[in-house]
Amino acid sequence: VKEIAVAIDGPAAAGKSTVAKQVAKELGYTYIDTGAMYRSITFAALESKADLNNEEKLLDVLHQMDLEMNEKLQVFINGRDVTNEIRSEEVSRNVSKVASYASIRKEMVRRQQLMAKKRGVVMDGRDIGTHVIPDAEVKIFMIASADERAKRRHKENKEKGFPSDFNQLKKEIEERDRLDMEREVSPLKKGDDAIELDTTSLSIREVVEEIMQIIKRYK
Ligand code: C5P
């Protein structure tokens, strides 16, 4: 059977990673979380107290960073497990800024394209169908209302025992979307050839099944 590439894009907290993980599992494909890559460089930059307005400095941080993501979806920077750290509020608040720079995106996209070359991947992010894998066989654009997305993230936080403020979460999500949509380089945007999936009133299972149906048509 021919292996394909599945691109899943959409705004923050739309459930992309949860769904992409399950789709990859059902297909026996590799799941690649590109948001984790931008979060990792943001974490490393914050830790080294780099000036986030200094693109060149950030590129230095990226070049000095040995980033590893394994099949258990753990993330390591220079051998250190930062899986939880890259999800912190501070990283979430600053990641869109770091991800807005052309030179940073160019290097990230180069790495992502290497990973997608052999196909057999489900990749999620903001620009996968539009820039990273423009020739992906299946492109999904997942959306959900900001209210619903904040609700889901809030529930997730509480289940994990993390402190969580619904209104603040919603504001943070909306602000991150705004920055991601308004940036100059490969902004968050539904491509003309992507299938839009509004998950506001769907369960995870329903979304996964819908995507599996779409994939079956293209395989
Ligand atoms: O997917 P996640 O919400 O973890 O992504 C964090 C941030 O990384 C996004 O808000 C966006 O600024 C950036 N990002 C990006 N391009 C991608 C994936 C993530 O700019 N392909």
Side-chain angles (χ1 to χ4, degrees):
V1 242
K2 196 176 134 267
E3 300 211 315
I4 65 166
V6 180
I8 302 183
D9 291 300
K16 299 185 298 294
S17 70
T18 310
V19 165
K21 258 179 240 170
Q22 293 193 20
V23 169
K25 198 170 166 202
E26 292 197 18
L27 293 166
Y29 281 14
T30 305
Y31 163 60
I32 300 162
D33 175 359
T34 64
M37 298 170 72
Y38 291 98
R39 285 175 178 277
S40 293
I41 189 213
T42 304
F43 174 76
L46 288 168
E47 257 219 334
S48 67
K49 309 234 183 307
D51 177 3
L52 301 191
N53 293 306
N54 186 338
E55 181 171 357
E56 236 169 88
K57 181 79 194 87
L58 291 173
L59 196 59
D60 272 353
V61 172
L62 180 56
H63 284 137
Q64 276 158 33
M65 179 173 79
D66 170 37
L67 179 63
E68 205 190 302
M69 300 191 291
N70 66 18
E71 63 293 342
K72 281 196 259 165
L73 305 177
Q74 291 168 309
V75 181
F76 297 86
I77 296 176
N78 300 331
R80 171 177 165 206
D81 185 346
V82 294
T83 313
N84 296 323
E85 284 82 350
I86 62 167
R87 307 284 158 199
S88 75
E89 218 178 283
E90 199 192 4
V91 170
S92 296
R93 253 189 288 112
N94 290 288
V95 61
S96 292
K97 166 118 194 130
V98 175
S100 70
Y101 296 111
S103 62
I104 302 289
R105 301 201 68 82
K106 191 172 168 209
E107 172 60 14
M108 292 298 198
V109 169
R110 187 187 69 79
R111 296 184 188 189
Q112 291 154 8
Q113 287 175 337
L114 274 177
M115 295 188 259
K117 221 167 102 184
K118 281 191 293 191
R119 295 308 202 236
V121 291
V122 180
M123 194 177 274
D124 82 1
R126 302 294 186 288
D127 60 341
I128 310 307
T130 50
H131 287 91
V132 179
I133 327 178
D135 55 351
E137 287 79 3
V138 172
K139 299 181 186 181
I140 308 286
F141 196 79
M142 263 176 73
I143 59 163
S145 72
D147 220 63
E148 177 63 23
R149 290 184 282 135
K151 233 187 265 169
R152 289 177 191 165
R153 191 50 56 90
H154 184 53
K155 186 165 166 256
E156 210 175 278
N157 283 345
K158 283 198 299 191
E159 279 164 6
K160 287 183 187 158
F162 295 166
S164 188
D165 176 327
F166 173 81
N167 290 317
Q168 199 188 319
L169 260 179
K170 190 173 162 193
K171 246 179 45 200
E172 185 263 311
I173 285 171
E174 285 173 328
E175 174 64 5
R176 196 140 59 88
D177 288 347
R178 189 182 67 74
L179 291 171
D180 289 342
M181 289 187 293
E182 287 178 0
R183 72 167 173 243
E184 265 169 58
V185 193
S186 48
L188 167 66
K189 182 183 186 296
K190 181 193 161 305
D192 293 333
D193 53 356
I195 298 173
E196 185 170 288
L197 214 70
D198 187 341
T199 74
T200 306
S201 54
L202 297 179
S203 69
I204 291 164
R205 194 62 238 160
E206 286 171 321
V207 180
V208 171
E209 264 158 31
E210 179 88 33
I211 294 176
M212 289 306 294
Q213 287 304 320
I214 295 167
I215 291 170
K216 268 189 206 136
R217 276 191 257 138
Y218 287 80
K219 263 192 104 177

